[in-house]
């Protein structure tokens, strides 16, 4: 096991070994216990992290801000429309300057075919860790909170049947980063993953290849279906959530508009309902990264019902974000367990 994470970027969990993610989980559970007991965890005293947001956020921004405060440091929230980025300042110059002022840089930028490249360009030049707060392809912090939640609910993740299911939504054209991250991560923990979506909402082909290879290596499975009922049958975890048809139609509706394309409207029946939940296994849990488009993505009776663990999942954003910051910003020089 590697014990020194100091300075490591978190852009995608693909670049973190299973052992490193296991350590992140251990630290997350430890921090959660200490938070519950009121035990101080000031591992990053007087450290500063810059949080750059090109898009809106509730959970990511606040878990990072509250998290760094609880670790003894401080966050600067940066609305990028108020930065010189809006006048064309480059990611290189932005990263080099912010790194001279503080100890880590984090960024959310979801624009298709731009976001991940932007974060990687900052990481290329930054001597301090760069943390991805969600891009067009990945949402590693959400993936970690989801993994922690499944471990909490099931203990052993091996053989857990998880269905990641596309749903209709009108709120905005959501990135593919959450289902993509889950599709790659969960097979690494031996889960049986079903990815369900209507025609036109596929992921890039390399995602399927890598998810299958991860499943083969770790004893899980990965399959695709276009039949939503099939995805609910005997599922232990369902994650019904909308994502945009970015791969099929990258020039279509943008993340900021709520225009509804024909392709979207044709799939209004893809919604998590009480009736569909009856097909799941007896102890099934309903998860969603939130925000949910209530009564489009999911019926209130489900998200507010006995299956739902969405608030536990959201809380775990705090503990996992703290683990990422404690390890990458402080590492063994700061974290004393
Ligand atoms: N799940 C998630 O990333 O939530 P926010 O968009 O509110 O940060």
């Amino acid at each position: 096991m590697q014990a020194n994470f100091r300075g490591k970027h978190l852009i995608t969990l693909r670049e973190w070994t299973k052992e490193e993610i296991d350590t992140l989980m251990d630290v997350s559970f430890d921090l959660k216990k200490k938070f519950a007991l009121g035990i101080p965890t000031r591992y990053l005293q007087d450290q500063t992290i810059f949080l750059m947001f090109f898009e809106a956020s509730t959970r990511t921004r606040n878990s990072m801000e509250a998290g760094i405060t609880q670790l003894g440091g401080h966050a600067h929230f940066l609305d990028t429309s108020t930065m010189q980025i809006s006048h064309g300042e480059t990611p290189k110059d932005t990263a080099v300057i912010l790194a001279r002022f503080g100890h880590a840089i984090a960024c959310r930028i979801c624009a298709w075919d731009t976001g991940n490249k932007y974060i990687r360009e900052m990481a290329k030049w930054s001597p301090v860790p760069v943390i991805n707060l969600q891009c067009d392809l990945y949402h590693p912090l959400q993936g970690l909170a989801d993994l922690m939640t499944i471990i909490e609910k099931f203990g052993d993740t091996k053989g857990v049947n998880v269905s990641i299911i596309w749903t209709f939504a009108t709120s905005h054209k959501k990135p593919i980063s959450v289902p993509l991250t889950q599709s790659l991560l969960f097979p690494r923990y031996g889960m049986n993953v079903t990815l369900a979506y209507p025609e036109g909402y596929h992921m890039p082909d390399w995602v399927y290849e890598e998810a299958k290879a991860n499943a083969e290596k770790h004893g899980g499975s990965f399959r695709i279906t276009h039949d939503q009922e099939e995805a609910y049958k005997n599922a232990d975890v369902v994650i019904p959530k909308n994502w945009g048809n970015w791969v099929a139609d990258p020039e279509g509706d943008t993340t900021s508009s709520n225009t509804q394309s024909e392709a979207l409207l044709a799939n209004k029946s893809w919604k998590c309902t009480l009736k569909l939940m009856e097909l799941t296994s007896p102890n099934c849990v309903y998860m969603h990264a939130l925000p949910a488009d209530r009564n489009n993505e999911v019926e209130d009776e489900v998200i507010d019902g006995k299956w739902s663990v969405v608030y536990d999942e959201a809380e775990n954003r705090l503990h996992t974000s703290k683990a990422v910051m404690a390890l990458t910003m402080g590492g063994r020089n700061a974290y004393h367990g």
Side-chain angles (χ1 to χ4, degrees):
M1 187 190 94
Q2 181 190 322
N4 190 3
F5 293 76
R6 190 181 172 89
K8 189 171 173 62
H9 301 308
L10 176 57
I11 299 176
T12 164
L13 292 166
R14 295 168 71 204
E15 291 156 358
W16 285 55
T17 65
K18 168 98 170 24
E19 288 73 16
E20 288 169 339
I21 299 170
D22 289 345
T23 303
L24 272 174
M25 286 296 112
D26 287 346
V27 175
S28 299
F29 279 106
D30 183 49
L31 288 167
K32 184 167 186 173
K33 188 169 72 182
K34 289 191 165 111
F35 185 66
L37 290 169
I39 296 172
T41 54
R42 299 178 66 80
Y43 305 128
L44 299 178
Q45 196 126 16
D46 302 325
Q47 293 207 27
T48 301
I49 184 167
F50 299 98
L51 306 178
M52 294 169 51
F53 281 88
F54 285 80
E55 288 98 12
S57 168
T58 295
R59 279 142 291 271
T60 305
R61 173 182 175 180
N62 289 291
S63 57
M64 292 292 285
E65 285 196 29
I68 190 71
T69 302
Q70 291 162 22
L71 292 169
H74 176 70
H76 288 195
F77 169 73
L78 299 169
D79 172 346
T80 55
S81 69
T82 68
M83 296 174 73
Q84 293 296 5
I85 290 166
S86 61
H87 293 146
E89 188 156 31
T90 64
K92 174 188 173 184
D93 292 350
T94 304
V96 171
I97 299 302
L98 291 179
R100 297 242 178 151
F101 296 158
H103 305 85
I105 301 167
C107 181
R108 167 172 285 190
I109 176 166
C110 296
W112 182 249
D113 203 30
T114 300
N116 190 258
K117 289 174 186 160
Y118 191 96
I119 293 173
R120 285 199 185 280
E121 179 65 9
M122 286 208 298
K124 184 175 156 190
W125 299 104
S126 171
V128 299
V130 169
I131 299 170
N132 182 355
L133 301 177
Q134 187 177 19
C135 67
D136 49 337
L137 296 177
Y138 310 108
H139 197 348
L141 296 178
Q142 185 64 50
L144 291 169
D146 295 340
L147 177 62
M148 185 180 188
T149 307
I150 294 171
I151 293 170
E152 279 180 338
K153 303 302 173 191
F154 292 91
D156 187 0
T157 56
K158 280 201 166 42
V160 174
N161 297 323
V162 182
S163 291
I164 302 161
I165 308 166
W166 186 93
T167 62
F168 177 74
T170 59
S171 54
H172 63 296
K173 186 170 172 175
K174 303 185 187 196
I176 62 173
S177 49
V178 171
L180 191 159
T181 298
Q182 294 164 338
S183 295
L184 295 181
L185 178 63
F186 295 163
R188 296 173 76 184
Y189 280 80
M191 298 181 216
N192 299 318
V193 176
T194 298
L195 181 68
Y197 53 86
E199 296 293 346
Y201 288 88
H202 53 275
M203 304 271 152
D205 286 341
W206 64 262
V207 175
Y208 305 143
E209 285 157 27
E210 191 167 314
K212 279 179 193 156
N214 288 347
E216 260 173 44
K217 185 170 174 193
H218 297 283
S221 63
F222 179 82
R223 66 169 180 154
I224 292 164
T225 178
H226 302 303
D227 177 343
Q228 67 168 334
E229 282 196 12
E230 185 60 33
Y232 282 88
K233 271 181 206 156
N234 300 318
D236 301 311
V237 179
V238 292
I239 315 180
K241 183 189 178 306
N242 174 260
W243 62 86
N245 55 347
W246 294 106
V247 182
D249 185 16
E251 304 300 326
D253 305 345
T254 66
T255 43
S256 57
S257 83
N258 64 356
T259 53
Q260 294 165 38
S261 67
E262 273 178 38
L264 179 64
L265 289 168
N267 294 298
K268 243 181 160 168
S269 62
W270 283 71
K271 175 183 189 174
C272 180
T273 61
L274 279 173
K275 196 159 173 271
L276 285 167
M277 290 303 292
E278 282 167 13
L279 301 173
T280 63
S281 76
N283 297 316
C284 181
V285 299
Y286 164 87
M287 293 174 62
H288 193 299
L290 303 180
D293 190 348
R294 280 171 175 259
N295 296 309
N296 279 320
E297 290 185 294
V298 56
E299 289 179 348
D300 280 346
E301 290 82 357
V302 175
I303 193 169
D304 295 326
K306 63 178 181 181
W307 304 274
S308 181
V309 297
V310 294
Y311 300 130
D312 293 345
E313 183 185 0
E315 181 193 322
N316 286 337
R317 292 294 308 273
L318 173 72
H319 310 302
T320 46
S321 294
K322 283 165 71 176
V324 170
M325 289 189 280
L327 287 167
T328 62
M329 295 169 69
R332 62 183 171 187
N333 298 329
Y335 184 72
H336 304 297

